[in-house]
Amino acid sequence: MEALIWAAFYRWWGLLGSFETAWYFSLSSYTTIGYGDVVLPPRWRMLGGLEGINGVLVCGLSTAFLFAIINEMFEIRGQQQTTHSRIEVTDDAR
């Protein structure tokens, strides 16, 4: 999604010839592949690097967010199992 926004920016400012080229450049920059077959005008070239840094940071944030969700799910599951174990022990004691 964010690569599309970058592509729209590149196209809006007329930095690349077509939206398809802008999207291709944006995806290659965002994923830090950067083939170099499509480049921005000299005055705007730093944006490609900034988009690459942005892509790495968003990938890291997405990974951290996913890890936090999975960790929370394991904690909730552990609490539920502990609660069910207490109920079973209490029922057996009667």
Side-chain angles (χ1 to χ4, degrees), residues 2-12 16 18-19 21-24 26-27 51:
E2 200 164 317
L4 282 172
I5 294 170
W6 279 98
F9 173 82
Y10 297 141
R11 187 63 195 120
W12 177 266
L16 297 168
S18 68
F19 185 77
T21 303
W23 194 22
Y24 171 77
S26 181
L27 284 174
E51 184 178 2

Side-chain angles (χ1 to χ4, degrees), residues 24-78:
Y24 171 77
F25 174 79
S26 181
L27 284 174
S28 67
S29 295
Y30 194 78
T31 58
T32 66
I33 293 173
Y35 291 120
D37 55 343
V38 177
V39 294
L40 293 172
R43 184 176 172 194
W44 294 89
R45 288 201 179 143
M46 289 299 291
L47 282 179
L50 290 175
E51 184 178 2
I53 292 169
N54 186 15
V56 169
L57 291 175
V58 170
C59 181
L61 285 173
S62 298
T63 302
F65 183 71
L66 184 62
F67 179 78
I69 289 173
I70 291 172
N71 189 39
E72 187 66 26
M73 289 171 58
F74 275 115
E75 287 184 19
I76 290 171
R77 186 173 183 184

